[in-house]
C-alpha cells in the first residue's frame, strides 16, 4: 500500500491509526520539508505501543525534477552593460521571490564585497516581492546601483539564467529547490548555504560551493573563489 498525506488534513494520531488500519508499506515524500515532517511522524510511530509500531512503513523520497532541455541552447534575454567577459567580467545572478525568507539582502551585501575585489562584475536579481524597494535603496546607498539589474518578475527564466555565469543563492530555507535545479540545468555553478534541500542538490566543491552561514563575507568569498579560478568554474559548470 502506497500512502501520501497532507498535514493540513491529518493529525499524527490519525496517521498512526491509518498506518495500522491500511497496513501501509511505503510512505512517499516529495520534498525535503515533507521528508522532515514524515521523519517526525515515523519517530511518533516508533514510540507507539505495539502492535502499532509494527506497522512502521518504509519512507521513499521521490525528488522532483525538471525538463532540463528547456535550459540548453537558450539565448540570453539580457546583456549586462559594461560587462566585457573577454576582460574578466562575470555575471552573478539569482532568481527568487524578494522576501526575507529568501535572504535577497545577503545577495546585495555579498555583491558589495565582490565588487571591492572585482569591480567589473555585474549582478542580476530576477524576481519581485515586498523587499524590492528596500533592496534598490540598499544598492544605491552602497553605490552599486549601476552594477546590479533588478529584473523583476520574468516568465522567461531560462533566458535570464542564460545571461549569468554564477548562481548566487544564499537563503534561509529551501523545501524543493526548483530554481537551483534550473540554474544547474543552465550549467551554472551554485553558491549557497547548508540549509533545507540545498545540500541534496549542490555537491560542495563539485557543482558549487556551500557556506556554513548567511554571512555576506563568507558568501562573497565563496563566489570569488569560483570567479578567480576559471578551471574550477568550468568543471563545476560541467558537473551541474
Amino acid at each position: 500500500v502506497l500512502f501520501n498525506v497532507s498535514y493540513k488534513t491529518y493529525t499524527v494520531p490519525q496517521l498512526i491509526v491509518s498506518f495500522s488500519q491500511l497496513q501501509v508499506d511505503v510512505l512517499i515524500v516529495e520534498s525535503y520539508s515533507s521528508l522532515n515532517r514524515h521523519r517526525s511522524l515515523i519517530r511518533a510511530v516508533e514510540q507507539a505501543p505495539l502492535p502499532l509500531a509494527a506497522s512502521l512503513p518504509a519512507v521513499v523520497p521521490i525528488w522532483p525534477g525538471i525538463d532540463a532541455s528547456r535550459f540548453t541552447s537558450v539565448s540570453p534575454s539580457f546583456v549586462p552593460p559594461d560587462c566585457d567577459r573577454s576582460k574578466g567580467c562575470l555575471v552573478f545572478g539569482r532568481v527568487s521571490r524578494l522576501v526575507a525568507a529568501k535572504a535577497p539582502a545577503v545577495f546585495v551585501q555579498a555583491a558589495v564585497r565582490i565588487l571591492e575585489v572585482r569591480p567589473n562584475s555585474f549582478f542580476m536579481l530576477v524576481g519581485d516581492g515586498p523587499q524590492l524597494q528596500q533592496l534598490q535603496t540598499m544598492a544605491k546607498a552602497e553605490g552599486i546601483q549601476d552594477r546590479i539589474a533588478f529584473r523583476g518578475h520574468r516568465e522567461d527564466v531560462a533566458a535570464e539564467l542564460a545571461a549569468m555565469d554564477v548562481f548566487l543563492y544564499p537563503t534561509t530555507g529551501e523545501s524543493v529547490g526548483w530554481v537551483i535545479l534550473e540554474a544547474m540545468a543552465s550549467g551554472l555553478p551554485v553558491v549557497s548555504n547548508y540549509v533545507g534541500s540545498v545540500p541534496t542538490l549542490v555537491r560542495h566543491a563539485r557543482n558549487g560551493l556551500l557556506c556554513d552561514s548567511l554571512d555576506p563575507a563568507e558568501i562573497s568569498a565563496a563566489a570569488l573563489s569560483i570567479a578567480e579560478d576559471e578551471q574550477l568554474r568550468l568543471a563545476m559548470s560541467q558537473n551541474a
Side-chain angles (χ1 to χ4, degrees):
V1 177
L2 303 180
F3 198 82
N4 203 350
V5 298
S6 166
Y7 277 77
K8 295 180 181 178
T9 305
Y10 295 91
T11 64
V12 168
Q14 288 172 332
L15 284 170
I16 292 175
V17 173
S18 296
F19 287 159
S20 177
Q21 292 176 340
L22 297 176
Q23 296 183 329
V24 175
D25 300 299
V26 178
L27 186 62
I28 298 174
V29 298
E30 71 289 340
S31 71
Y32 184 86
S33 59
S34 292
L35 180 59
N36 277 342
R37 289 197 300 267
H38 285 80
R39 281 173 175 161
S40 298
L41 174 61
I42 295 303
R43 285 194 292 271
V45 173
E46 290 174 325
Q47 295 168 4
L50 290 172
L52 289 182
S55 64
L56 175 67
V59 178
V60 178
I62 301 178
W63 302 120
I66 61 171
D67 180 1
S69 66
R70 296 192 300 112
F71 298 87
T72 58
S73 302
V74 178
S75 298
S77 57
F78 176 70
V79 178
D82 192 24
C83 182
D84 187 344
R85 284 183 168 85
S86 68
K87 296 182 179 179
C89 177
L90 293 178
V91 178
F92 300 84
R94 67 177 283 152
V95 180
S96 74
R97 292 178 294 119
L98 304 186
V99 296
K102 296 299 181 181
V106 178
F107 175 87
V108 176
Q109 293 163 349
V112 174
R113 288 163 172 79
I114 292 170
L115 285 166
E116 291 174 352
V117 179
R118 297 178 65 92
N120 63 340
S121 301
F122 197 87
F123 299 84
M124 292 174 60
L125 210 167
V126 181
D128 202 355
Q131 289 199 332
L132 174 59
Q133 185 174 357
Q134 174 187 339
L135 296 167
Q136 291 172 325
T137 299
M138 180 186 301
K140 186 174 182 179
E142 295 287 355
I144 67 168
Q145 67 274 14
D146 294 334
R147 304 305 299 171
I148 184 169
F150 292 90
R151 299 286 291 159
H153 174 75
R154 306 287 301 193
E155 294 293 336
D156 55 342
V157 172
E160 293 290 306
L161 290 169
M164 303 176 190
D165 298 297
V166 179
F167 197 70
L168 192 56
Y169 194 67
T171 180
T172 65
E174 199 68 29
S175 175
V176 176
W178 294 112
V179 293
I180 294 177
L181 289 172
E182 293 172 345
M184 291 166 58
S186 302
L188 298 178
V190 177
V191 176
S192 189
N193 49 300
Y194 287 99
V195 67
S197 65
V198 177
T200 68
L201 304 173
V202 181
R203 304 301 183 185
H204 183 70
R206 178 169 174 77
N207 58 3
L209 294 176
L210 294 174
C211 300
D212 292 320
S213 73
L214 286 174
D215 182 354
E218 184 180 3
I219 299 293
S220 60
L224 284 167
S225 67
I226 294 177
E228 297 185 348
D229 189 334
E230 184 178 6
Q231 293 303 314
L232 175 63
R233 189 168 67 256
L234 292 175
M236 288 182 172
S237 176
Q238 293 172 355
N239 293 331

